Amino acid sequence: PDHWYKWFFLALIDVEANCLAVWAYSHTSLTSAMLLDSFSIPCVIFLSKIFLRARYNVKHLQAAGICLVGILLTVASDALSRNIGGRGQGWFVGEALLGDFMAISAAALYACSNVAQEFFFKHEHTPVYVLARLGIYGFFICLLQTFFFSTIYLPWSKPIVIIPFISYAISLAAVYILAAIILAQADATLLNLSLLMADVYAVAFAWLVAKNPPPFLYFLAAACTATGVLRYNLAISNQPTSSPSADPVPSNSDNEHLSILNQDDHETTTINQRLLVRPPLILTDDSLIVISPQHSCST
């Protein structure tokens, strides 16, 4: 049954993920917030394993672990930096760590939303149906949240305010449409791995436009993240694919079953051989005659 509350909770998770991701930009650097989004990859692997029965090998788990190392290095770079993003001496470590926590929380919520959408796309509804429900419930959630919690007045009549807002809304709508196509044809893990390319754009923007070069540890964290993504892709490409003409490889349970069958066949053959070599018996009224191939005797 199509209960309304499942769409409400799914839209709530998705709205709060977007809110935390945007709020993280005001507390930590752009590069750190973008790189911490890679935390969604191990979350997606964990949720897909539990709820979607996805199969991962050791290389997939190693790739997720390498991405986690990159996340820890990113947090360490913010903790060791006193001046982040060119904000001056008032930009302290505590605020940066708060932004990192927001970015990590947003990544975890994005993972929950992506896995849930993949389940709906592949088992229950079409992408158009799911996006329509998310849009309806998400609109009312955003409206109520803005009415009760927003304390900032924006001059909507000025182009400097309305143009970035409209651009952000159009970009986010395009991301949701393209993400729905990927989730319907592939999986949530591939989607989150593909979104890591946004980190490169974030570094280029922060360095070239905002004149904010990232700290040294960030490059090490980015290298760890890229290594984890590459290892995951290699693990996917190296997985053996089964063809219709190929003979199926028996599993351990199949081998045990075949051994039991062979043992039963051997015992049946032995019993049949004993029956063949056993001399026949002929019963008469007064004697028992045993006839064998070599000799016969009567009792």
Side-chain angles (χ1 to χ4, degrees):
D2 193 13
H3 299 294
W4 64 270
Y5 52 82
K6 70 177 182 181
W7 301 113
F8 174 80
F9 285 113
L10 181 59
L12 181 63
I13 291 173
D14 201 77
V15 168
E16 298 308 320
N18 286 299
C19 291
L20 288 174
V22 173
W23 284 338
Y25 296 142
S26 61
H27 294 279
T28 187
S29 62
L30 176 64
T31 52
S32 297
M34 296 295 292
L35 187 59
L36 288 173
D37 287 342
S38 60
F39 181 69
S40 62
I41 296 177
C43 294
V44 165
I45 292 177
F46 177 75
L47 294 174
S48 299
K49 181 70 175 179
I50 294 178
F51 297 103
L52 301 180
R53 298 295 188 268
R55 296 182 179 180
Y56 300 102
N57 55 30
V58 178
K59 294 181 180 180
H60 292 122
L61 300 180
Q62 290 177 352
I66 295 175
C67 290
L68 286 176
V69 173
I71 294 172
L72 294 177
L73 289 176
T74 304
V75 176
S77 68
D78 284 345
L80 297 176
S81 179
R82 290 284 181 175
N83 191 339
I84 302 176
R87 294 296 187 92
Q89 297 298 326
W91 187 253
F92 294 108
V93 176
E95 192 171 2
L97 294 180
L98 176 61
D100 292 343
F101 176 76
M102 288 182 177
I104 293 175
S105 301
L109 292 177
Y110 277 132
C112 297
S113 177
N114 292 336
V115 172
Q117 291 181 46
E118 180 185 351
F119 175 80
F120 289 139
F121 291 156
K122 294 182 177 180
H123 296 86
E124 294 188 2
H125 305 289
T126 61
V128 176
Y129 186 88
V130 175
L131 291 179
R133 293 298 183 275
L134 284 179
I136 293 173
Y137 286 96
F139 170 76
F140 288 106
I141 292 174
C142 290
L143 188 63
L144 293 175
Q145 187 166 302
T146 303
F147 179 77
F148 286 105
F149 298 103
S150 179
T151 58
I152 301 176
Y153 173 76
L154 296 177
W156 295 103
S157 60
K158 295 183 178 180
I160 195 174
V161 175
I162 192 64
I163 291 178
F165 182 81
I166 294 178
S167 302
Y168 176 76
I170 295 175
S171 301
L172 198 61
V175 167
Y176 274 87
I177 294 174
L178 296 176
I181 297 175
I182 297 176
L183 290 174
Q185 297 181 358
D187 56 15
T189 306
L190 179 61
L191 172 64
N192 286 269
L193 288 173
S194 302
L195 291 177
L196 287 179
M197 188 61 189
D199 299 340
V200 180
Y201 304 142
V203 173
F205 177 82
W207 201 343
L208 300 177
V209 179
K211 305 299 181 182
N212 178 27
F216 173 75
L217 277 180
Y218 175 82
F219 294 100
L220 185 59
C224 288
T225 304
T227 302
V229 174
L230 179 61
R231 185 169 182 81
Y232 189 92
N233 290 329
L234 291 177
I236 294 178
S237 61
N238 291 334
Q239 282 184 342
T241 57
S242 58
S243 59
S245 60
D247 295 332
V249 179
S251 60
N252 293 331
S253 60
D254 295 335
N255 292 330
E256 293 177 358
H257 182 66
L258 290 175
S259 62
I260 294 174
L261 290 179
N262 293 332
Q263 183 178 1
D264 293 341
D265 293 339
H266 177 72
E267 293 178 356
T268 304
T269 304
T270 305
I271 294 174
N272 291 334
Q273 291 176 354
R274 291 177 180 177
L275 290 176
L276 289 176
V277 299
R278 181 179 179 181
L281 301 177
I282 299 179
L283 295 175
T284 61
D285 294 337
D286 54 353
S287 65
L288 174 62
I289 302 174
V290 180
I291 303 175
S292 64
Q294 291 84 8
H295 62 282
S296 62
C297 61
S298 60
T299 56

